[in-house]
Amino acid sequence: MRILRVAALAAGGLLLMGQVVPAQAHGGSSYRWELTPTGTTAQFRGLAAVSKNVAWVGGSGGTVLRTVDGGKHWQNVSPAGAEALQFRDVEAFDAQRAVALTIGTGEDSRVYRTADGGKTWTETFRNTDANAFYDCIAFNDDKHGLALSDPVDGKFRIAATADGGKSWTVQPNDGMPAALAGEFAFAASGTCLVAGHGRTAWFASGGGDRPRVFRTVDGGRRWTVSDSPMASGEAAGIFSLAFRNSLFGVAVGGDFLKPTEAVKAASVTSDGGRTWKLVPADKAPKGYRSGSHFVPWSPTTVIAVGPSGSDVSLDGGRSWKQFYDGSFDSVECAGHGANAGCWASGAQGAVGRLVH
């Protein structure tokens, strides 16, 4: 299953690398992607937005890039010795400090940290359990963060940090509900696990007979779980979560083997993830979506991306409109006021900045 998942998620649609062009718009949408030249053909599923000018991406071939000028230039800040690894999640606090996760079984799952803009990196966590496979990381603040592994001994595994990623501790699993048969998380965009205010976090699953959303309010020691009405199966489930606050959230996904079909591909919650309402097919994203994020300038606007296009919802995820027909894997927004910005990343070195 994990071999299938890694291979399938390594595939994706193509974008022309090195072009700065407006994205194809649909339906009169005011949103478009401006592609930025990265100078690489790596697939970037790890993405961290800091502002409209600062962003980090991580991807295949151990590649990590950083921009501080809105994507005009990208600096290769890849950690030395990581060339054989796949970065699938990057969490950045500013232009200097970032934490990056590589995925895979056993020791391929690692965490790296930099405090000098990627000039130097320190490996701060290496998984030594052959049965563990870490998918995503998320931070509540610049100190407290979590890393999510697929089930080990019948339960999802959590590692936690309280010092900004300098050290990690695998948490006891007595507060974690049992996993379903075949259940796992998708290392597709770094948003299978997301963090909220305080010590709240959520993660989502697929692979079993139904997808589920797990929630903690104590920093990952105890979790509750809720069923989702979205699609599930060997290649289907929830791939991405996005929360506006402690109550209102969106889940997107579908079946990555059917990228152009909206197979129960979105749902919304208004009670912190305790219950979820399926978005009807005629209002859902127009295909499988692997990443999602709320924009900073509107409390009800959320972007979703996937290999067959990008969609925007202006009503908190209840209805969606496609505005771009190219491929991206990840999307993230950050910043405030005039400094706010949204970024997307994907195959063939593609990175875009949202224009609206």
Side-chain angles (χ1 to χ4, degrees):
M1 174 58 66
R2 286 170 177 168
I3 294 175
L4 166 67
R5 183 153 53 98
V6 172
L9 292 179
L14 301 182
L15 279 174
L16 294 179
M17 184 271 294
Q19 292 188 345
V20 182
V21 295
Q24 179 65 45
H26 297 272
S29 171
S30 62
Y31 287 90
R32 60 186 176 90
W33 292 112
E34 182 180 78
L35 306 185
T36 73
T38 62
T40 177
T41 57
Q43 182 161 17
F44 293 122
R45 292 186 180 275
L47 169 65
V50 176
S51 67
K52 70 176 184 180
N53 291 318
V54 179
W56 302 65
V57 291
S60 57
T63 307
V64 179
L65 308 181
R66 183 192 69 147
T67 183
V68 295
D69 59 7
K72 295 177 183 177
H73 303 90
W74 288 89
Q75 179 185 12
N76 189 329
V77 295
S78 305
E83 295 80 7
L85 301 174
Q86 296 188 54
F87 284 99
R88 289 293 179 90
D89 200 353
V90 182
E91 301 292 323
F93 309 113
D94 50 41
Q96 300 300 314
R97 298 176 298 151
V99 178
L101 171 74
T102 64
I103 62 128
T105 54
E107 293 191 2
D108 283 350
S109 285
R110 307 177 192 179
V111 176
Y112 294 80
R113 180 182 183 274
T114 183
D116 57 9
K119 294 178 183 177
T120 61
W121 293 83
T122 302
E123 182 185 309
T124 60
F125 175 79
R126 182 180 298 205
N127 170 51
T128 57
D129 190 327
N131 296 312
F133 184 115
Y134 283 82
D135 301 284
C136 299
I137 54 175
F139 280 81
N140 300 100
D141 50 45
D142 63 359
K143 298 293 185 183
H144 299 92
L146 301 175
L148 170 69
S149 167
D150 287 339
V152 177
D153 296 329
K155 293 185 176 182
F156 283 93
R157 174 170 289 182
I158 295 292
T161 180
D163 54 15
K166 295 178 183 178
S167 62
W168 296 82
T169 303
V170 174
Q171 300 299 291
N173 69 1
D174 54 326
M176 179 69 70
L180 302 175
E183 189 176 24
F184 55 83
F186 290 100
S189 65
T191 50
C192 62
L193 167 71
V194 295
H197 293 294
R199 306 302 303 280
T200 301
W202 300 263
F203 72 83
S205 71
D209 61 11
R210 60 192 183 277
R212 302 196 292 174
V213 177
F214 295 70
R215 178 175 181 263
T216 183
V217 295
D218 63 0
R221 297 299 299 269
R222 293 180 295 274
W223 297 81
T224 56
V225 63
S226 301
D227 292 344
S228 165
M230 290 171 57
S232 191
E234 187 178 25
I238 300 172
F239 285 71
S240 175
L241 295 172
F243 276 83
R244 164 57 68 188
N245 52 36
S246 61
L247 294 177
F248 295 96
V250 170
V252 300
D255 189 327
F256 71 68
L257 296 181
K258 301 175 181 178
T260 62
E261 297 182 23
V263 184
K264 295 183 178 180
S267 59
V268 295
T269 182
S270 59
D271 58 9
R274 295 173 179 85
T275 60
W276 293 85
K277 183 177 180 181
L278 186 69
V279 177
D282 61 337
K283 295 183 178 180
K286 301 308 178 186
Y288 149 68
R289 296 296 180 254
S290 54
S292 61
H293 212 278
F294 279 89
V295 305
W297 50 84
S298 167
T300 59
T301 300
V302 60
I303 304 291
V305 302
S308 64
S310 300
D311 307 89
V312 60
S313 172
L314 305 179
D315 57 8
R318 292 170 177 81
S319 63
W320 298 81
K321 188 175 217 178
Q322 185 169 330
F323 68 92
Y324 178 66
D325 57 10
S327 173
F328 282 118
D329 297 313
S330 306
V331 61
E332 187 167 317
C333 306
H336 303 281
N339 200 36
C342 290
W343 298 81
S345 63
Q348 292 296 304
V351 178
R353 191 175 68 166
L354 191 67
V355 178
H356 67 99

